[in-house]
Amino acid sequence: MDYLEIEGGSPLCGEVRIQGSKNAVLPILSAALLYPGVTVLENCPGISDVASMLEILKGYGCTTLREGNKLIIDAGNLHSGRAPEDYAGVMRSSIMLLGSLLGRLGEAFLPYPGGCVIGKRPIDLHLKALREMGAQLQEEPEGIRAVCAHPKGARIRLPFPSVGATENVILLAVRAEGTTVLENAAREPEITELCRFLCSMGARIRGAGTGTVMVTGVQRLHETEFTIMPDRIVAGTYMLLTAAAGGKVILRDVPLWQLASVRKTLAGMGVRLEGKDLKETKKGEGKLDEKASDVLLFSPGRIRGGLQISTAPYPGFPTDLQSPLMAALCTAEGESVVEERIFEARFKTAEELIRMGADICIQGSRACIRGTGRLHGERVEARELRGGAALCIAAAAAEGKTTIHQYHYIARGYENIIRDLKALGVVVNYG
Ligand code: UD1
């Protein structure tokens, strides 16, 4: 049994606290391997991707203990054996272990990474950058064999600001000899969070969150206790859910300063955001403090369409919210165009939305969405994590009952979407 039943069509009312960030905690778990001792992480989301990553860490000799949302990792006895393929093979973030295993042990073997089926997802940028730091990497049929006894600082320029490649370079650079200068680095908030974590362990990093990151290798790191920031993608998902279903919702612990492009989109839809820390302009812009805050959302029920949104690296509109956005726009008044510029195969969810009555036309990397007002309940299938969340949005806004199969995709990144939907007044059951 692996499905959700959602009874949609009623406006939302209630409040939800935003969980810790998936895309921050995963590279941080990898970074914990760099220190041969205990690391304590607070506010770790209870998602299946974290559980898989912990299994992989155990495969390399770590011990892990979870106490609620607190994780204690002891990497004192790390070894370079093979990661359990069942987990590494299905999880994209396992590639993130390459930089830290090399930094700590000088060698590693990693099964090829898996992850959501949203495009080709090559790892060439990771491999090229690590080679520039002295890594010898051999692509074998079952995975990558890597050796790097003496990583060296280097000047590296990424042809595209890949999040994962930026993280891998930083992880190896922390233990390399000399300074690494990474140009055209990804600027996603999760990179900044990884660097904050590494600095709390004694790393020397400048420029995190900008296009040029400078890392000076250190001989030793030390113990740390660190709290994972809230998840901007989960917050954005629940904002778009409110937009589509209508109603009045309070979201707590929202990293609003990381959501400027989403706030602007919501303002264009006619969704109102209010909050003590929100110095709102009419267009949803404005400079905000870098601390999580509470926000009140009002959505009229029938949102405005007529939007043209393209996904882009941060601070652009996040590709991870493209499917949730598409689901919301299906219910809008008017025609919108969404362009996907990061992952080429990220329109799979459109087929399921069409089954629910949506009018979507895909041409290459562009989706034209004609708002049809109400969708109707249907039997649909999640094909990947964020697409699954998009179906929850469509289901909550639709008339009647929707059954969403393959719930396990959603559990990869949402701690307990059933609890959260119930807290907002949605009738939902798990089967
Ligand atoms: C991370 C996020 C994911 C998010 C994505 C973009 C995690 C665990 N996942 O994924 O949720 O959607 O950033 O914000 O943090 N590329 C190459 N060669 C490479 C690496 C990437 O061509 O070696 C391409 C990819 O195919 C894709 C684009 O670059 O088209 C972006 O990928 P990247 O930024 O690396 O995303 P991930 O780190 O995989």
Side-chain angles (χ1 to χ4, degrees):
M1 299 298 237
D2 186 31
Y3 64 86
L4 290 184
E5 271 178 359
I6 294 178
E7 198 70 57
S10 306
L12 308 183
C13 184
E15 62 176 79
V16 165
R17 194 188 76 84
I18 301 304
Q19 68 183 60
S21 162
K22 162 183 166 292
N23 288 354
V25 73
L26 293 173
I28 286 175
L29 284 171
S30 168
L33 301 185
L34 287 167
Y35 172 63
V38 173
T39 299
V40 179
L41 300 175
E42 301 275 3
N43 200 32
C44 283
I47 53 177
S48 68
D49 264 12
V50 166
S52 302
M53 186 60 126
L54 293 179
E55 289 306 316
I56 297 174
L57 297 193
K58 284 186 211 161
Y60 286 114
C62 293
T63 57
T64 68
L65 179 68
R66 194 185 248 285
E67 291 169 356
N69 278 348
K70 179 180 187 170
L71 266 182
I72 303 163
I73 298 130
D74 186 346
N77 293 319
L78 194 73
H79 58 72
S80 61
R82 294 169 81 107
E85 279 162 37
D86 282 1
Y87 294 100
V90 298
M91 222 182 103
R92 172 78 184 171
S93 305
S94 54
I95 185 67
M96 208 56 50
L97 295 167
L98 203 47
S100 41
L101 284 172
L102 285 178
R104 169 81 187 279
L105 303 169
E107 60 175 4
F109 180 86
L110 262 192
Y112 288 115
C116 279
V117 197
I118 55 176
K120 289 198 289 290
R121 307 198 86 163
I123 53 169
D124 55 318
L125 303 180
H126 299 243
L127 303 187
K128 182 169 180 294
L130 296 179
R131 281 189 175 114
E132 287 177 47
M133 299 177 73
Q136 291 172 322
L137 307 168
Q138 222 170 315
E139 292 180 60
E140 296 183 357
E142 287 174 19
I144 297 157
R145 189 167 301 285
V147 180
C148 191
H150 302 290
K152 291 231 164 17
R155 180 172 280 271
I156 298 168
R157 185 173 178 82
L158 293 177
F160 176 86
S162 153
V163 173
T166 298
E167 291 168 345
N168 247 333
V169 168
I170 292 170
L171 289 168
L172 183 57
V174 163
R175 297 306 311 276
E177 188 189 321
T179 298
T180 298
V181 180
L182 181 64
E183 292 172 352
N184 202 26
R187 293 183 286 156
E188 267 63 7
E190 293 76 17
I191 306 277
T192 313
E193 186 77 344
L194 171 65
C195 293
R196 278 182 52 226
F197 170 77
L198 286 165
C199 290
S200 79
M201 274 176 129
R204 291 174 58 200
I205 305 175
R206 281 171 297 147
T210 75
T212 305
V213 181
M214 282 159 289
V215 185
T216 301
V218 294
Q219 293 282 337
R220 243 177 226 96
L221 295 166
H222 54 72
E223 255 184 43
T224 188
E225 282 195 35
F226 188 83
T227 302
I228 305 292
M229 69 180 186
D231 194 310
R232 67 189 167 104
I233 303 300
V234 172
T237 304
Y238 292 162
M239 288 175 166
L240 291 163
L241 168 77
T242 310
K248 192 171 156 189
V249 160
I250 295 171
L251 298 179
R252 301 207 180 274
D253 278 356
V254 181
L256 278 173
W257 80 98
Q258 301 173 356
L259 286 160
S261 63
V262 177
R263 288 189 286 123
K264 194 171 168 192
T265 304
L266 290 166
M269 290 171 160
V271 176
R272 222 167 77 225
L273 270 73
E274 282 179 12
K276 193 160 66 67
D277 302 316
L278 194 59
K279 297 165 206 145
E280 269 268 292
T281 67
K282 273 202 175 128
K283 287 190 170 154
E285 292 159 354
K287 191 137 174 51
L288 291 166
D289 290 344
E290 295 195 0
K291 66 177 172 62
S293 54
D294 300 342
V295 61
L296 178 61
L297 282 94
F298 300 94
S299 170
R302 187 88 203 263
I303 49 175
R304 287 197 297 267
L307 304 187
Q308 297 241 359
I309 307 282
S310 296
T311 62
Y314 190 82
F317 193 90
T319 173
D320 285 347
L321 288 175
Q322 180 259 106
S323 301
L325 171 68
M326 185 155 63
L329 289 173
C330 292
T331 68
E333 181 97 56
E335 192 173 312
S336 301
V337 176
V338 174
E339 188 189 9
E340 175 55 60
R341 289 177 17 195
I342 310 289
F343 289 108
E344 70 281 2
R346 220 169 194 183
F347 283 137
K348 284 197 164 66
T349 306
E351 289 167 33
E352 304 300 304
L353 293 171
I354 290 167
R355 289 157 55 78
M356 296 176 74
D359 183 349
I360 304 173
C361 170
I362 309 276
Q363 282 181 322
S365 61
R366 290 157 75 90
C368 177
I369 302 137
R370 274 186 219 98
T372 49
R374 275 284 148 92
L375 300 171
H376 58 79
E378 194 44 86
R379 181 197 185 282
V380 290
E381 207 168 281
R383 316 272 188 95
E384 39 96 7
L385 163 58
R386 304 300 171 188
L391 294 176
C392 291
I393 292 176
E399 207 68 68
K401 187 161 79 183
T402 298
T403 315
I404 304 172
H405 290 261
Q406 309 262 55
Y407 167 74
H408 65 275
Y409 280 119
I410 301 170
R412 287 188 49 190
Y414 296 82
E415 189 167 71
N416 194 340
I417 206 165
I418 302 167
R419 171 199 65 202
D420 293 347
L421 289 171
K422 280 186 177 162
L424 299 179
V426 179
V427 178
V428 49
N429 292 303
Y430 173 72

